[in-house]
Amino acid sequence: MRSPTSPPARAAGAPLVTIAMPALDEAGHIAEAIASVLPDRDAVACELLVLDGGSRDGTCAIVAALSAGDPRIRLVHNERRIQAAALNLAARLAHPASAYLVRADCHAVYPEGFVQNLVRTMQLREAVSVVVPLRTVGVTPLQRAIAAAQNSRLGNGGSAHRQGGISGYVAHGHHAAFDRRAFLRVGGYDETFTHNEDAELDRRLCAAGGRIYLAADLAITYFPRARFGSLARQYRQYGRGCARTLEKHASLPRARQMLPALVLLYAVAALPLAALMPALLIPLLLYAGACGLCGLALALKARDPVLLLSGPAAVAMHLSWAAGFLSHPGYWRTVLRAALRRKRPGLGVPPGSDAARVN
């Protein structure tokens, strides 16, 4: 296998790219993900580091076999296991000549020419980070319903990187590529975060004067959770991660972030009293009915009755996120501090960015 210090062959002046792919028990996905994101040898000089967090299935054996046939691929042990640590490790272990760090996911499928287009966009837009739209696709019936919910405004709240939309400078998006030196300069990901580490890093990149560019034409396909239980656990962690980000940066949540929390708080307060005051159930029934109608609309539009379940999927996402958000011990301290400041601190994004719609 190639030594970690031996640079991949590249044309004079061409940038070297390090692709980082965190993995944990991904035997069913990793070969396809690597084949999807790894560029042709003559397209761009790169190395691909698979940061394994202790897989017990055949993940490591698959990567070792792929590495034997392509020395650009290297397996690295990630002792911390979490994704934030994996990306930081890749940034440190990358070849010294590496200019760009690409974040790849085992559950994603990447369009042809993805890495070279990221590099081109980074150079053209003078950005420290390029983010991309994320479109979820389901395979099983329930997974299709969950994907439909996540692709809808009901499920994603209108985030620019979940809607596609128009390219431009933003405050946050689905991470795809970084200027490696800028990434290291701000300290990389905060490894105390298991979720929402991307939004937290984006705040520091913007605060340091960097620009984040959303490349709407480089959308990737993502396969969501396939069961309500795993979906709920995932969104509960997202909620806690968001609360931690707000706490760390002393910010108030956006209105769309507070809505699920308000629904959950109302439900907790109203349900014990519903037997005495049935009218208290009306707002909850209206909320559930609205989610159900959205699911019906998605099912009719796609002519797929399974998508009726996208309504319940949205409810699970909202309430799980809210439960995680409200349960974080620093949440109330964050709200109090931000309220005392009487104004929301800026994110340091460039003028004209659509920060109000993103994160």
Side-chain angles (χ1 to χ4, degrees), residues 7 28 49 52 116-117 123 126 130 148 168-169 179 191 195 240 259 264 272 284 313 319 323 356:
L49 307 184
D52 185 75
Q116 47 267 53
N117 285 329
Q123 295 172 332
E126 298 182 343
V130 172
Y169 295 100
D179 179 299
E191 295 186 17
H195 292 74
R240 286 182 62 84
L259 286 174
L264 182 59
L284 295 178
L319 298 186

Side-chain angles (χ1 to χ4, degrees), residues 333-344:
R333 294 195 299 271
T334 299
V335 172
L336 179 60
R337 284 199 302 267
L340 291 174
R341 292 178 63 171
R342 295 187 179 182
K343 65 178 182 177
R344 186 177 180 181

Side-chain angles (χ1 to χ4, degrees), residues 113-356:
F114 182 70
V115 172
Q116 47 267 53
N117 285 329
L118 285 176
V119 171
R120 188 178 302 114
T121 302
M122 291 275 290
Q123 295 172 332
L124 179 64
R125 302 299 175 179
E126 298 182 343
V128 298
S129 174
V130 172
V131 296
V132 297
L134 189 67
R135 299 295 293 175
T136 51
V137 173
V139 177
T140 66
L142 181 55
Q143 191 180 38
R144 293 205 311 273
I146 292 172
Q150 292 181 340
N151 288 330
S152 71
R153 187 173 292 271
L154 177 67
N156 60 47
S159 295
H161 67 284
R162 297 306 299 260
Q163 293 293 315
I166 301 172
S167 297
Y169 295 100
V170 297
H172 173 55
H174 182 74
H175 285 178
F178 300 95
D179 179 299
R180 177 171 161 261
R181 289 168 180 80
F183 179 90
L184 290 171
R185 191 158 50 243
V186 299
Y189 288 110
D190 184 335
E191 295 186 17
T192 66
F193 280 67
T194 59
H195 292 74
N196 211 57
E197 75 282 354
D198 50 354
E200 193 284 321
L201 172 59
D202 284 343
R203 286 178 174 248
R204 285 185 282 119
L205 286 171
C206 290
R211 300 198 294 178
I212 300 171
Y213 189 80
L214 172 65
D217 57 332
L218 297 181
I220 66 172
T221 299
Y222 179 80
F223 299 101
R225 301 296 188 269
R227 294 184 299 275
F228 277 129
S230 56
L231 179 71
R233 288 190 294 273
Q234 179 186 36
Y235 272 76
R236 186 168 62 249
Q237 293 289 350
Y238 284 162
R240 286 182 62 84
C242 180
R244 287 204 61 213
T245 299
L246 294 176
E247 178 188 15
K248 180 175 178 177
H249 295 276
S251 301
L252 283 171
R254 293 189 169 90
R256 70 178 179 83
Q257 294 172 326
M258 280 304 299
L259 286 174
L262 291 174
V263 170
L264 182 59
L265 286 173
Y266 181 85
V268 170
L271 288 176
L273 302 174
L276 298 175
M277 303 176 63
L280 291 174
L281 293 176
I282 293 176
L284 295 178
L285 292 174
L286 289 174
Y287 163 72
C291 291
L293 286 175
C294 288
L296 175 61
L298 292 172
L300 291 174
K301 182 178 180 179
R303 297 182 179 181
D304 184 354
V306 169
L307 299 194
L308 287 169
L309 292 172
S310 59
V315 172
M317 291 155 55
H318 293 163
L319 298 186
S320 299
W321 188 95
F325 184 70
L326 293 171
S327 67
H328 180 64
Y331 168 73
W332 299 110
R333 294 195 299 271
T334 299
V335 172
L336 179 60
R337 284 199 302 267
L340 291 174
R341 292 178 63 171
R342 295 187 179 182
K343 65 178 182 177
R344 186 177 180 181
L347 296 180
V349 296
S353 71
D354 58 351

